[in-house]
Amino acid sequence: MQRPVVIGLILLIVGNLFSAFYDVSIKWLPDDANASTFLLVRQISSVFMLLPVWLYSQRPMTTHISVHLWRANIGSVGALFLIIGLMALPLATVSSLFYSAPLMIILMGYFFLRERITAAQTICTGLGFVGILIILRPSEMNWYGIAVLFSAFTFAVNQLALKKVPNAEHPVLTLMLYNLLGIPATLVIAAFQGIEGLSWELVGVALLSNAFLLVYHWFCVLAYRKAQASDIAIAEYTGLLFIVFLGWLLFDEWLDNLSWLGAALIVLPSLCLPWLGSLLSKSTPKVADTLTGK
């Protein structure tokens, strides 16, 4: 496996740990919290948190404002739907649904970015999809589950859109614009729903979750700039392990035997991807030799 791919995988796995912390923090929101109000507070606070870093980095600018505007607005809607799902569903259910995003990343990377998909990646994504279905179980599907699936789709679109941003652009600018340009859309949604549940407790949770999310996005920016999306997207699945562990540790949530099978189908193929790719690459010439009689 090439060095940039290895680095990208490591960065994405570490980033998913902080993504799990973000999911956990949503569970600490007050009972009267409003999803759009929380998202608005989180976005505004993130801009102020990133502002000193942006100034320290000599105020980097962008020439791709349209890409950032697209990502910010799509991301705002997706983030809102994910928060709604996290507030209503168990962590493991939300996580298993959200990890359909790597499947979407690989497929959209193939169709829209012309990225190559290997046989090993096809097998791993197929097994991961089966694992998601096992954990989800169609009988448990509801509007909250659909909201999380839509959030996963917006996440996949945003990750692929990073390919349109030059590698030379500073990551802090990407993160700052992602939050800053999304504020107007979130403000409209919050005004429509009504800004309710605003409290110091909500602000505290917003600051904490915002720190986790900013670190996660930072690692994502670095990871997807290191390697093509289809090579490293499978590592997104490893975050499911972090979610299951934290759900058990903090909320006494645990997976049953069937769900563990689903989790294994999601995580293990991604961990075995390098070995599987090497095995398939070695077997292909042998098959070709047999067919040609050489």
Side-chain angles (χ1 to χ4, degrees):
M1 184 179 291
Q2 297 179 346
R3 180 180 176 85
V5 176
V6 174
I7 296 176
L9 287 170
I10 294 174
L11 289 172
L12 208 51
I13 291 172
V14 175
N16 270 274
L17 175 60
F18 287 93
S19 176
F21 288 148
Y22 169 76
D23 291 349
V24 168
S25 67
I26 302 299
K27 292 292 188 180
W28 292 331
L29 281 172
D31 294 335
D32 61 343
N34 182 294
S36 58
T37 301
F38 170 75
L39 178 60
L40 181 62
V41 172
R42 186 182 64 72
Q43 287 180 325
I44 293 174
S45 62
S46 69
V47 173
F48 283 104
M49 292 172 69
L50 287 168
L51 186 59
V53 183
W54 179 73
L55 293 174
Y56 179 79
S57 303
Q58 300 180 343
R59 302 179 182 181
M61 303 300 291
T62 183
T63 57
H64 294 74
I65 192 66
S66 60
V67 177
H68 290 292
L69 185 62
W70 168 263
R71 291 188 72 248
N73 284 276
I74 290 293
S76 293
V77 177
L80 179 63
F81 276 66
L82 179 60
I83 293 170
I84 292 173
L86 284 168
M87 293 174 67
L89 298 173
L91 277 175
T93 301
V94 174
S95 182
S96 60
L97 281 173
F98 193 79
Y99 282 113
S100 61
L103 302 178
M104 301 176 189
I105 289 174
I106 291 177
L107 292 176
M108 287 192 291
Y110 173 76
F111 286 109
F112 298 111
L113 299 182
R114 302 295 185 227
E115 293 185 348
R116 180 178 55 88
I117 298 180
T118 65
Q121 289 171 335
T122 302
I123 293 173
C124 288
T125 52
L127 290 174
F129 181 72
V130 172
I132 289 172
L133 290 179
I134 290 175
I135 293 178
L136 175 61
R137 296 163 198 164
S139 61
E140 298 181 11
M141 177 64 74
N142 52 38
W143 286 111
Y144 295 113
I146 295 174
V148 176
L149 284 176
F150 179 77
S151 177
F153 172 74
T154 63
F155 172 83
V157 171
N158 273 334
Q159 297 307 87
L160 290 174
L162 283 174
K163 288 297 185 180
K164 301 298 182 180
V165 179
N167 290 338
E169 187 168 294
H170 202 288
V172 70
L173 179 61
T174 302
L175 294 175
M176 190 169 180
L177 292 178
Y178 184 75
N179 288 279
L180 179 63
L181 298 179
I183 291 176
T186 305
L187 185 59
V188 171
I189 297 173
F192 178 77
Q193 286 190 336
I195 300 179
E196 300 174 349
L198 187 60
S199 64
W200 286 114
E201 184 179 358
L202 183 142
V203 173
V205 173
L207 291 174
L208 181 63
S209 63
N210 199 39
F212 293 144
L213 196 60
L214 288 176
V215 174
Y216 167 65
H217 280 305
W218 184 285
F219 276 102
C220 279
V221 170
L222 296 178
Y224 283 98
R225 286 182 177 181
K226 280 290 183 182
Q228 69 174 18
S230 58
D231 282 337
I232 63 174
I234 200 73
E236 298 278 4
Y237 289 135
T238 58
L240 182 58
L241 290 179
F242 300 130
I243 286 292
V244 172
F245 175 74
L246 292 173
W248 164 76
L249 184 66
L250 300 174
F251 305 106
D252 199 25
E253 298 177 356
W254 195 243
L255 295 177
D256 54 28
N257 292 335
L258 191 60
S259 296
W260 274 117
L261 173 62
L265 289 175
I266 291 172
V267 175
L268 293 182
S270 66
L271 299 179
C272 299
L273 183 60
W275 173 81
L276 183 60
S278 176
L279 181 64
L280 290 176
S281 63
K282 290 180 180 178
S283 63
T284 301
K286 294 180 181 180
V287 174
D289 290 347
T290 302
L291 294 176
T292 57
K294 295 181 180 180

